[in-house]
């Protein structure tokens, strides 16, 4: 269960930070994206806290060295996927919720 929470924290945090960028072509279709773009200070603060929480969860779960290494890989993955998929306007809350539920179920069943 901790890995799912960590993955959600990392992806959500990076998505929040991505939506506060001035350089990226941002979506204005979703209500969440609009809110994040209209309130960049709050979005940046919460995004950074979520990424740090992801690092701390993984460091507590796997140990300091392996946890930080895994969190760094997870952050790079979140960055690549967000930058590749977000301009296609394919990231929606229902997709993220369905994927998270599937990951949680798999983690719960096999751990």
């Amino acid at each position: 269960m901790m890995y799912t929470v960590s993955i959600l924290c990392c992806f959500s945090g990076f998505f929040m930070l991505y939506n506060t960028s001035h350089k990226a072509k941002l979506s204005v279709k979703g209500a969440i994206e609009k809110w994040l773009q209209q309130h960049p200070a709050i979005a940046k603060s919460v995004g950074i806290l979520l990424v740090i929480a992801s690092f701390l969860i993984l460091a507590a779960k796997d140990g300091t060295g392996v946890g930080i290494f895994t969190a760094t890989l997870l952050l790079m993955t979140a960055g690549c996927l967000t930058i590749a998929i977000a301009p296609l306007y394919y990231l929606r809350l229902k997709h993220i919720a369905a994927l998270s539920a599937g990951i949680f179920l798999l983690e719960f069943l096999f751990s």
Side-chain angles (χ1 to χ4, degrees):
M1 186 166 113
M2 294 297 257
Y3 290 112
T4 305
V5 172
S6 179
I7 290 169
L8 283 173
C9 285
C10 188
F11 274 82
S12 300
F14 192 88
F15 187 71
M16 287 181 181
L17 293 171
Y18 174 79
N19 274 294
T20 60
S21 173
H22 296 290
K23 296 180 183 180
K25 181 182 175 187
L26 301 173
S27 170
V28 291
K29 291 183 178 181
I32 295 173
E33 289 90 348
K34 286 180 187 177
W35 190 88
L36 291 172
Q37 293 164 16
Q38 292 170 353
H39 302 91
I42 297 171
K44 284 182 183 179
S45 300
V46 173
I48 289 171
L49 286 175
L50 285 172
V51 171
I52 291 172
S54 174
F55 270 75
L56 292 175
I57 289 169
L58 286 170
K61 176 82 173 147
D62 295 334
T64 306
V66 174
I68 291 174
F69 180 70
T70 306
T72 304
L73 291 177
L74 182 60
L75 185 61
M76 288 190 294
T77 304
C80 290
L81 288 174
T82 302
I83 291 171
I85 295 173
L88 301 174
Y89 309 120
Y90 189 69
L91 285 176
R92 296 285 169 253
L93 189 58
K94 62 182 177 181
H95 297 127
I96 295 170
L99 184 63
S100 301
I103 292 172
F104 180 74
L105 270 172
L106 287 173
E107 185 176 357
F108 185 71
L109 289 174
F110 295 112
S111 65

